[in-house]
Amino acid sequence: MATGEQEQIETERKYDVDAGFVLPNLAGSGGAVSMSPPDTQQLAATYYDTDDLRLIGSHITLRRRTGGDDAGWHIKLPAGGESRRELHYPLGPPGQPVPREIADRVARWTGGAPLRPVARLETRRIVRRLLGGVGEVLAEVADDQVTGSRPDPADPERWRQHDTWREVEVELKSGTRELLDAAEAGLAAAGARLSRSASKLARVLGTG
């Protein structure tokens, strides 16, 4: 394992919602007995890939994100079904290229090609936690207002806004997939729809 590397398995579902969507109280879903008050976070993430997008073509994402509970460098790898294997690394100073140990981690997919910024996401996130009977966190429900940008073709050092949207994510913590299904039913009843994009990055880049 590389210096400072941490690993976890992430299982989540994403939903498209309209601007006027009202998040329902999901307490009672899949064993959750309560829903925490909102926790507002400001996130900013820069995504890196090769010029021909070899990482996203292999369903891999590489980003540097500030804000929230897990600021740092993240590599997300497929782990089967709705799950992804996520590697975390320290944030390090801003304005630096992709650290060598991180670039080495994805070299089998990039072929050693240079990595450059391909997208930037700025997110106002309102997190509510679904809690069990003794206060354990079963899942997190994130209500995200997202602004996605791409590098300006005329000046790659500048960003050009490409899209803005709102979405909801439900990520398992100590809960079960039955909780995901129950939360989905509650969200669908309130007007949420399974996301048409595989990820925020895919939406910004138009890759699916």
Side-chain angles (χ1 to χ4, degrees):
M1 183 174 288
T3 303
E5 181 183 294
Q6 298 180 352
E7 180 177 336
Q8 68 181 42
I9 297 296
E10 172 189 85
T11 303
E12 66 181 14
R13 293 181 190 170
K14 298 176 183 289
Y15 303 89
D16 293 328
V17 298
D18 298 327
F21 176 79
V22 177
L23 186 73
N25 188 340
L26 296 174
S29 300
V33 301
S34 63
M35 193 169 179
S36 73
D39 172 17
T40 302
Q41 303 172 357
Q42 297 291 337
L43 312 177
T46 301
Y47 289 76
Y48 293 79
D49 208 332
T50 62
D51 286 337
D52 54 357
L53 302 180
R54 297 180 189 180
L55 292 181
I56 196 169
S58 299
H59 308 289
I60 296 164
T61 57
L62 168 60
R63 72 185 179 199
R64 182 183 185 273
R65 189 169 78 180
T66 59
D69 301 326
D70 64 347
W73 288 88
H74 306 148
I75 301 171
K76 293 190 177 187
L77 306 161
E82 297 171 308
S83 299
R84 305 194 77 186
R85 178 183 171 215
E86 187 169 305
L87 307 180
H88 291 214
Y89 301 85
L91 187 62
Q96 301 297 311
V98 178
R100 173 59 63 86
E101 64 177 332
I102 298 175
D104 287 347
R105 270 292 193 178
V106 297
R108 60 179 292 191
W109 297 281
T110 65
L115 292 162
R116 64 174 181 85
V118 296
R120 180 172 173 82
L121 296 175
E122 296 175 287
T123 303
R124 182 179 183 270
R125 168 168 288 182
I126 301 176
V127 178
R128 294 175 175 85
R129 296 168 178 88
L130 295 176
L131 306 175
V134 294
E136 73 275 23
V137 179
L138 302 178
E140 289 187 350
V141 182
D143 185 348
D144 290 345
Q145 183 63 49
V146 187
T147 299
S149 302
R150 297 177 181 173
D152 188 332
D155 182 0
E157 298 298 317
R158 301 182 61 184
W159 293 98
R160 176 182 291 179
Q161 183 175 316
H162 175 70
D163 196 4
T164 61
W165 70 96
R166 186 181 173 194
E167 69 177 42
V168 171
E169 296 180 1
V170 182
E171 181 180 347
L172 283 183
K173 295 300 183 181
S174 63
T176 65
R177 290 183 183 274
E178 287 73 22
L179 172 58
L180 277 182
D181 293 338
E184 181 169 303
L187 291 169
R193 308 167 300 279
L194 279 171
S195 179
R196 66 180 187 270
S197 298
S199 66
K200 292 179 175 70
L201 176 61
R203 177 164 178 160
V204 172
L205 295 179
T207 57

